[in-house]
Amino acid sequence: MNAEQQVAVVTGANSGVGLAIARQLLLLSPHSPTLVLACRNEKRGARARAHLLQDFPSADIRLIELDTSNVLSVQTAAREITSLGRLDLLFCNAGAMAIKSLSIRGIIRGLTHPIAFFESSEALVQQQGLVTPDGLGQTFQTNVFGHYLLVHKLLPVLSRAKGRVIWTGSSASQLEFSQLDYMHIHGLKPYESSKYIVDQISQKMDERLRQKGVRCFVGEPGNVCTSFLANIGVPVLQMLIVVVFYLMRICGLQRFTIDAQCASAAFIYLAFARDEEVDASQKYYSCASRWGHSSVVRAPLECCTKDADFLISKLDALVDRFDQ
């Protein structure tokens, strides 16, 4: 690897938005970066790497096993990434939603507000009480703490490159959160709670990381048809959702990005924009025109200072607990 060659890490890069981000980085970077696919499933990661190499045969694409729901896996992956000597871009994209079943009541209720319904997970019943071997809420650790710990471990190489940390947010982020159950182990919407946490901590992280020359931002992919839909297990419903998404977009609702390439637009913008063009107090949204042309819009992050301070303190305490 050339000493000046940039390094980009994408978590959850084996499919969906993560894979699209990886592809766009190779396509649009002025100088091809060293691209690290950080994936939980090594076989799927290897398949994604092979597909990328078909289109970019001279690219430096590496595969690292990373399960953000496992502290040891995060620590091991961090050591491998650190050995590269620098880190310019870290995309905190890996995420999970543990779906138990469909919610017939939620589907019926959603008929009264169809647009908001298709931008949420009202139709899904998420599993409750899931805890990792580390003793943390599964969705919380996968979507939030695993990445938070990874950023902590990679700060020296991020700082060396004046790098950027880019989180994947969600429009469903404000639905449910409780300080009493901040890992949302017992709540009904652990996925939404985790994405709310991302919004709350990102600006505080940016304030802290800027002292080391590192920036932190949040992007949102919009309503996209990724592997999350496959978890529903009802092919007819999956097809119906895709059709409805296209109808919504044709009606002018730009948040229905549908395909992963359109959904990656905000993240690629945050990767390449000049410092004076980006603002950590804003959230960056991938959008699509009626005919699928991608664009990026921004809006102020809705942040509760009380929740943000609370969450940063809890996450820091967990880092101290596990970073022995």
Side-chain angles (χ1 to χ4, degrees), residues 229-251:
L229 286 180
N231 294 333
I232 298 173
V234 183
V236 174
L237 182 59
Q238 291 174 234
M239 292 177 60
L240 177 61
I241 290 173
V242 173
V243 170
V244 171
F245 275 21
Y246 273 106
L247 289 174
M248 293 284 192
R249 193 165 80 181
I250 289 172
C251 290

Side-chain angles (χ1 to χ4, degrees), residues 177 179 196-197 199-204 207 301-313:
F177 173 76
Q179 289 191 9
Y196 175 81
I197 293 173
D199 281 2
Q200 300 312 298
I201 66 174
S202 62
Q203 194 171 350
K204 290 286 185 181
E207 293 171 3
L301 263 173
E302 296 187 17
C303 185
C304 170
T305 302
K306 183 178 179 181
D307 282 346
D309 290 339
F310 169 83
L311 288 162
I312 288 291
S313 68

Side-chain angles (χ1 to χ4, degrees), residues 28-213:
L28 300 175
S29 294
H31 306 286
S32 182
T34 294
L35 177 63
V36 179
L37 310 180
C39 305
R40 179 171 59 91
N41 188 304
E42 192 172 2
K43 288 184 179 180
R44 292 177 183 175
R47 194 179 307 130
R49 179 177 180 272
H51 286 319
L52 289 172
L53 284 172
Q54 287 179 353
D55 295 332
F56 306 95
S58 62
D60 183 3
I61 306 174
R62 310 188 187 192
L63 178 63
I64 287 179
E65 186 176 353
L66 169 65
D67 180 356
T68 52
S69 70
N70 183 289
V71 165
L72 181 59
S73 177
V74 171
Q75 293 170 330
T76 301
R79 285 194 291 270
E80 292 186 59
I81 296 167
T82 298
S83 69
L84 298 176
R86 65 180 291 160
L87 179 55
D88 299 84
L89 296 167
L90 172 59
F91 293 90
C92 299
N93 171 75
M97 179 193 296
I99 299 172
K100 181 179 179 180
S101 64
L102 289 174
S103 170
I104 302 302
R105 180 181 297 179
I107 293 172
I108 295 173
R109 187 171 54 243
L111 297 176
T112 64
H113 49 277
I115 295 176
F117 171 73
F118 281 105
E119 290 186 330
S120 72
S121 64
E122 283 185 68
L124 306 174
V125 177
Q126 297 178 47
Q127 295 185 48
Q128 296 174 258
L130 298 179
V131 177
T132 68
D134 295 313
L136 307 180
Q138 180 174 291
T139 304
F140 167 81
Q141 185 170 356
T142 302
N143 298 358
V144 183
F145 178 66
H147 288 110
Y148 193 85
L149 178 61
L150 185 65
V151 172
H152 170 75
K153 302 295 288 184
L154 294 176
L155 186 53
V157 283
L158 279 164
S159 180
R160 190 171 303 148
K162 307 296 184 187
R164 292 182 180 179
V165 176
I166 303 172
W167 289 85
T168 297
S170 170
S171 61
S173 61
Q174 299 163 18
L175 295 185
E176 281 201 31
F177 173 76
S178 169
Q179 289 191 9
L180 297 176
D181 182 24
Y182 70 93
M183 295 187 196
H184 217 81
I185 295 172
H186 307 293
L188 298 174
K189 299 288 185 180
Y191 179 80
E192 285 76 3
S193 177
S194 72
K195 293 304 181 179
Y196 175 81
I197 293 173
V198 168
D199 281 2
Q200 300 312 298
I201 66 174
S202 62
Q203 194 171 350
K204 290 286 185 181
M205 288 181 67
D206 183 71
E207 293 171 3
R208 179 186 294 180
L209 296 176
R210 285 183 80 163
Q211 300 175 30
K212 301 289 187 180

